[in-house]
Every structure is written in structure tokens, then in C-alpha cells.
Amino acid sequence: MASSKRDIWVDNVKVIACILVVLGHFFQSMVKANLLADSFAYNLFEDTIYYFHVPLFFICSGYLYQKYSVVNDISAWKINVLKKLIALGIPYFVFSFATWILKKVFASSVNTEIGGLGYTLFKHPTSPYWYLYILFVLFVITWTSKNVNQQYLMLVISVCMKLAYTFGVSTGLYIIDNTLANCVWFVLGMTMAYGVIKMTNAMMSILLFMVFLLGSALTELGYIHFKLQGFIWALMACYSVISLSHYLYNNGVQSEYMATIAKYTMPIFLMHTLFAAPFRSVLIKLGVDNLIIHIVIGLVASFVCPVIAMIIMEKIKPLDFMIYPNRYISIKRRQ
């Protein structure tokens, strides 16, 4: 299912998801540091974005995997797993280790305790790097489909996995439980590569997103509570964001601002907490408790500092290897 045309909507969905991930972590840290009140508005915002921002990442990854890869035999699978081990594993280990060091060194001023290094790397990954961890597992257990019927079968299986997890199937093992919970989003993205993405409607997506926001608010207020609510809200939100992104950019013209941010989504995703936490700790140690100052400096540190760091890394090669190891290591299938 090869195509030479870049999927601009994927870039923009990643931008939206990345911004929400950063904001979610930022406001969490502010509340844990007692700089921001643990209010209804805060909990509504956090719970609302957590329904769908990481699923959007999995959907995009699954879509690109199915559309641009052919992994349907053991040889191709081995090559792909090795590629993903390098592409995902190196930034995962580098930045998980950096975060572990940061939290150990600044244990008295960071907001979340962290376990041993082995536990953090292999048993219970820290946020946000758990996404890379589970994404690699999904590449290990998933082959690209040969036809749409095979893809629909995979989708049914992944939905069953999600339902099993939702209704209480749990092994207590992080790697298995989170794979059960998130496989459906990855496979849904793969399914979209068969043209399902064309089933978008701007008006419908706006209406569904409004319903999603209402449902999230009613859930937060305690008026709605059932097992599948999170899955349903996530489906609504993901469809709405993807549909609008596809509709707005289906002519192949990218927004200059979105294109700039899209170029740095990976560095921002990997490094936002590494910059925000030290800045916040320094401000606290200096006795600065002004909320506006913390928000401005914290958001600048979260979004701008990773971009500057990435620009420096690309100037001082091969520092960018930590972010994009596949720029230096090429693995091709033997003919």
C-alpha cells in the first residue's frame, strides 16, 4: 500500500497529540508541586485529554505502518523488529535513563518518586516513554495485513482485547495489560490505511466532539458511569480530531506553523519533562511561587527548550543520534 504523497493530516494529528501530552504533564506537575489547585476544572481538563491524546499517537503509528511497510513473513518481521528496536529503543533507553537520573538527583524537589533503574526500564516505564515501550511491543506482535478482510479480522481481535481489559482481565504485568489496552488504537490506525480515513465529515466531527466534551463533563460530575465510557469517548474524540485534520489539509497544503511544530514533535515529546522539571525546581528553591511566572517559564521550557536542544544536536552531529538513530543506522532486507 505504498504512496509517495506525505500524509499531512498525520503530521497535524501528531502535533495536536504532542501539545496535549505536554500540557497534561505540565499541569500535573504544577498540581503535584502545590502551585496549582487540584480543582474540578483541572481534573476535567486532564481526564478529557487523557481519553484520546495517546490513542492518537498509536493510531498514527498504525496507519503509517500499514501504509508504508510490508511485514507479512518472518524475514520481513525480523528486519522490522530490529529497525524498531533501534528507532524506538535508543531514545527510550536514553531519555528514560536521563529521567531516572533527574528524579534521583532531585528527589526532594521533583513530584514523582521513581523505582530502581531496571524496574523503570523493563517493568514499569515512566511517563511519557511508556508509549515507545508499548509501541515496540505492538510492532513485535503485529504484521501488516495482506488484504482488507485480514485487516478487519485483526481489528475484531484487537477490540476483543480492549473489551477484555476494560471488563477486568488483568495479569498485573505492565507490558501485557497495556498492550491489551492500546492494541486497538494501533490496529485501528492500520485499518484506516485501507481508505477508511476517507470516511471523514467535518460537520459530523464537530458535533461528535461536542458530544464527547459533554460526555466527559458529565462523567467528571458523576452523572455517567459505565465500563465502556472511556472507550466510547476516546473513539468520538479520535474520530473528530482525525476527521478535522484530514478535512482541513486534504488538498496537500500544510500550514507553515503546523509544519514547523511537526518537525519537532519527537524532540518535544522526549524532552519536555527534562526541561520543565529543573526550571520549576529552581524557581521553587528561589522562593518564586507566582503562578503566572511558573506557567510562562514552564511552558517555554516544555516547548521551546527541546526545539533549541534539537537544533544544537543537529549542528553537533552525531548528538541527534539519541533522537533519530535511524539517520545513522540503516537496516535493509537481504535480496
Side-chain angles (χ1 to χ4, degrees), residues 228-260:
L228 288 175
Q229 68 187 34
F231 187 33
I232 292 174
W233 300 156
L235 284 171
M236 285 185 178
C238 287
Y239 171 80
S240 298
V241 172
I242 292 170
S243 180
L244 280 175
S245 295
H246 184 262
Y247 176 78
L248 293 174
Y249 298 97
N250 62 359
N251 61 354
V253 179
Q254 170 68 301
S255 159
E256 180 181 350
Y257 298 106
M258 292 293 276
T260 301

Side-chain angles (χ1 to χ4, degrees), residues 62-180:
Y63 173 85
L64 295 174
Y65 179 47
Q66 177 62 39
K67 187 168 184 180
Y68 296 104
S69 303
V70 179
V71 182
N72 48 36
D73 61 52
I74 192 65
S75 178
W77 174 82
K78 288 179 180 179
I79 294 296
N80 187 65
V81 168
L82 184 56
K83 285 181 178 179
K84 300 306 179 183
L85 181 61
I86 294 170
L88 300 175
I90 289 175
Y92 170 76
F93 282 107
V94 168
F95 290 99
S96 292
F97 180 70
T99 299
W100 184 83
I101 290 292
L102 180 68
K103 292 188 176 183
K104 287 297 183 181
V105 172
F106 297 98
S108 60
S109 55
V110 297
N111 302 312
T112 306
E113 294 183 359
I114 196 166
L117 181 58
Y119 177 81
T120 301
L121 291 177
F122 300 106
K123 289 188 176 181
H124 199 288
T126 188
S127 184
Y129 311 117
W130 71 268
Y131 165 74
L132 302 178
Y133 182 83
I134 296 301
L135 182 59
F136 173 71
V137 174
L138 293 174
F139 281 121
V140 171
I141 67 172
T142 309
W143 288 14
T144 57
S145 56
K146 295 181 179 179
N147 54 63
V148 68
N149 291 331
Q150 190 178 88
Q151 184 58 50
Y152 285 142
L153 177 60
M154 291 172 61
L155 183 61
V156 170
I157 293 172
S158 68
V159 169
C160 291
M161 292 167 65
K162 179 68 173 180
L163 292 177
Y165 177 80
T166 301
F167 285 96
V169 174
S170 175
T171 64
L173 297 175
Y174 187 95
I175 187 172
I176 295 177
D177 292 344
N178 278 273
T179 299
L180 287 173

